[in-house]
């Protein structure tokens, strides 16, 4: 279980939980979402007080910071494609992609320099592989090239804030 500041772990199928304080160091972090490759290998994105991407290979005992952007409010959602590609959206409209299981990240939008972007809350993909990202102010973006380029949907549904997209 991921709480804002703490990770909880179970060894008995969820009957009891062990709290792990300070998994990411002494500064407070807001754990937002995670991708699990195995019991030992996982990637966690951080929201609210800066945007960070952390990784562990030893079931959360030790963590490595792979990407940090302090002038971004936070990463909101992460999506894993069948080929292992990871895509992240942020509260500042950033859209990041990793082609190597989170070791390196490419920010294709760098949205804080683009005042037209709004908060992106969710990112997902269709069974055919098209990526979709949505958020506030009726914004709905899509990518057909693993997140390297993004297009705004011309006629999105009339929704103030998109919280989840599911296909």
């Amino acid at each position: 279980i991921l709480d804002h500041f703490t990770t909880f772990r179970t060894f008995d199928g969820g009957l009891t939980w062990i709290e792990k304080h300070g998994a990411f160091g002494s500064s407070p972090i807001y754990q937002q979402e995670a991708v699990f490759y195995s019991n030992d290998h996982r990637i966690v994105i951080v929201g609210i007080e800066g945007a960070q991407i952390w990784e562990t290979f030893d079931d959360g005992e030790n963590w490595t910071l792979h990407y940090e952007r302090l002038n971004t409010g936070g990463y909101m959602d992460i999506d894993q494609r069948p080929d292992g590609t990871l895509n992240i959206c942020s509260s500042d409209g950033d859209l990041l992609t990793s082609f190597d299981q989170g070791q390196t990240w490419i920010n294709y939008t760098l949205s804080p320099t683009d005042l037209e972007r709004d908060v992106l809350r969710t990112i997902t993909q269709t069974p055919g592989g098209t990526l979709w990202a949505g958020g506030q102010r009726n914004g709905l973006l899509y990518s057909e090239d693993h997140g390297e380029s993004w297009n705004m949907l011309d006629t999105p549904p009339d929704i103030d804030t998109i919280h989840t997209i599911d296909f």
Side-chain angles (χ1 to χ4, degrees):
I1 294 176
L2 296 176
D3 184 24
H4 286 311
F5 300 106
T6 307
T7 300
F8 294 86
R9 181 144 192 263
T10 183
F11 294 95
D12 58 10
L15 295 176
T16 58
W17 293 89
I18 299 167
E19 185 175 354
K20 296 181 72 168
H21 293 284
F24 298 93
S26 60
S27 63
I29 77 155
Y30 294 91
Q31 301 170 86
Q32 192 71 25
E33 189 71 45
V35 169
F36 297 89
Y37 288 107
S38 68
N39 287 340
D40 294 332
H41 181 198
R42 69 191 71 139
I43 292 176
V44 172
I45 60 172
V46 175
I48 301 178
E49 292 181 348
Q52 300 171 332
I53 302 168
W54 293 82
E55 182 175 42
T56 182
F57 287 99
D58 59 7
D59 200 25
E61 290 299 320
N62 297 289
W63 293 87
T64 302
L65 177 64
H66 281 297
Y67 191 89
E68 181 174 38
R69 192 142 182 247
L70 296 178
N71 63 343
T72 296
Y75 296 132
M76 303 299 288
D77 197 12
I78 186 167
D79 183 69
Q80 183 179 14
R81 297 174 60 85
D83 66 2
T85 300
L86 298 171
N87 296 95
I88 291 176
C89 65
S90 82
S91 60
D92 284 339
D94 278 348
L95 293 157
L96 287 83
T97 300
S98 174
F99 296 103
D100 58 7
Q101 291 190 338
Q103 297 299 302
T104 58
W105 292 88
I106 302 166
N107 187 338
Y108 286 107
T109 54
L110 293 173
S111 295
T113 61
D114 177 2
L115 298 177
E116 299 300 315
R117 292 256 187 232
D118 293 316
V119 172
L120 292 173
R121 296 188 177 277
T122 184
I123 189 165
T124 192
Q125 60 188 296
T126 67
T130 301
L131 285 167
W132 288 89
Q136 292 180 332
R137 297 192 190 105
N138 208 23
L140 195 54
L141 301 159
Y142 66 95
S143 173
E144 297 177 311
D145 58 8
H146 298 286
E148 293 182 43
S149 63
W150 291 87
N151 301 296
M152 183 74 74
L153 187 64
D154 290 334
T155 55
D158 189 20
I159 301 171
D160 182 54
T161 301
I162 299 168
H163 292 280
T164 302
I165 303 169
D166 188 35
F167 292 96

